């Protein structure tokens, strides 16, 4: 499959950059609040050079380049949300993967539209991959973005994650095969 260096930021991702994601920490129980989405959207994709530096550092494989990824957000620990360019078609049809700061990996949505519904349902990529969360506190502002930009019928976080896991069951093993 031919990969192009398309770094035009999709309108759906641009719409996320103006939204405040809920984050609250309960000092008494030392746990994040159930309404948390630890996600910080970017205003543009990381550059090809930054993406290549990241994938090489993350995998330890200096032969890789970042052509198969478009990094568009992160969590508070530095884990990255990325489009994984593995199929023909536009960026919005590519799966969304998460690479955690401590080695966690997973595909969290089969497309950008499904990712929007994951967020609207109150689950971010970190919560889905690191903690296995498949439900959260719905977020009305994120739902409005999903309704406007997803191009698909509403889905629950559980539905989005189940579809992603079914389509990409070997993602973790694939990523491990890149590591040196």
């Amino acid at each position: 499959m031919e990969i192009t260096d398309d770094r035009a930021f999709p309108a759906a991702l641009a719409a996320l950059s103006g939204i405040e994601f809920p984050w609250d920490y309960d000092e008494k129980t030392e746990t994040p609040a159930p309404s948390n989405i630890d996600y910080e959207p970017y205003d543009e994709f990381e550059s090809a050079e930054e993406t290549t530096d990241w994938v090489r550092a993350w995998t330890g494989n200096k032969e890789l380049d970042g052509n198969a990824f478009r990094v568009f957000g992160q969590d508070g620990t530095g884990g990255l949300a990325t489009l994984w360019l593995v199929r023909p078609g536009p960026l919005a049809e590519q799966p969304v993967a998460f690479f955690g700061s401590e080695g966690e990996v997973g595909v969290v949505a089969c497309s950008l539209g499904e990712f929007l519904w994951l967020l609207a349902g109150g689950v971010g990529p970190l919560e889905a991959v690191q903690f296995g969360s498949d439900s959260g506190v719905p977020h009305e502002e994120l739902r409005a973005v999903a309704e406007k930009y997803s191009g698909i019928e509403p889905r629950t976080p559980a539905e989005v994650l189940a579809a992603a896991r079914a389509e990409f069951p070997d993602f973790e093993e694939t990523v491990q095969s890149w590591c040196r």
Side-chain angles (χ1 to χ4, degrees):
M1 177 179 75
E2 183 178 325
I3 302 288
T4 62
D5 193 24
D6 180 3
R7 297 210 181 257
F9 210 54
L13 291 176
L16 294 176
S17 67
I19 295 175
E20 177 123 1
F21 283 78
W23 181 255
D24 191 22
Y25 188 77
D26 186 332
E27 300 277 337
K28 291 179 184 172
T29 63
E30 297 183 356
T31 59
S35 62
N36 284 351
I37 301 175
D38 188 357
Y39 177 68
E40 300 168 12
Y42 291 174
D43 294 327
E44 60 187 17
F45 289 123
E46 282 192 346
S47 71
E49 295 79 17
E50 290 170 319
T51 303
T52 294
D53 289 347
W54 156 72
V55 78
R56 288 177 176 172
W58 203 95
T59 62
N61 185 340
K62 302 303 179 202
E63 296 174 16
L64 293 177
D65 61 38
N67 287 345
F69 300 98
R70 298 296 178 271
V71 178
F72 63 85
Q74 69 179 42
D75 67 29
T77 68
L80 298 177
T82 179
L83 292 173
W84 180 33
L85 283 60
V86 295
R87 56 177 139 210
L91 293 176
E93 294 179 13
Q94 304 304 318
V96 175
F98 178 75
F99 289 78
S101 63
E102 300 299 320
E104 314 87 356
V105 296
V107 173
V108 297
C110 295
S111 68
L112 183 53
E114 291 205 3
F115 180 69
L116 296 176
W117 285 111
L118 180 73
L119 293 175
V123 177
L126 169 76
E127 293 80 21
V129 173
Q130 186 170 341
F131 303 114
S133 298
D134 65 0
S135 65
V137 176
H139 189 286
E140 288 308 311
E141 196 173 5
L142 292 169
R143 181 178 179 86
V145 171
E147 288 172 347
K148 182 173 182 177
Y149 293 103
S150 74
I152 59 176
E153 293 296 314
R155 293 179 176 49
T156 66
E159 292 169 329
V160 170
L161 292 165
R165 291 175 184 139
E167 186 172 351
F168 301 100
D170 300 324
F171 181 71
E172 187 172 352
E173 289 79 21
T174 299
V175 172
Q176 290 304 315
S177 75
W178 301 334
C179 295
R180 297 280 189 253

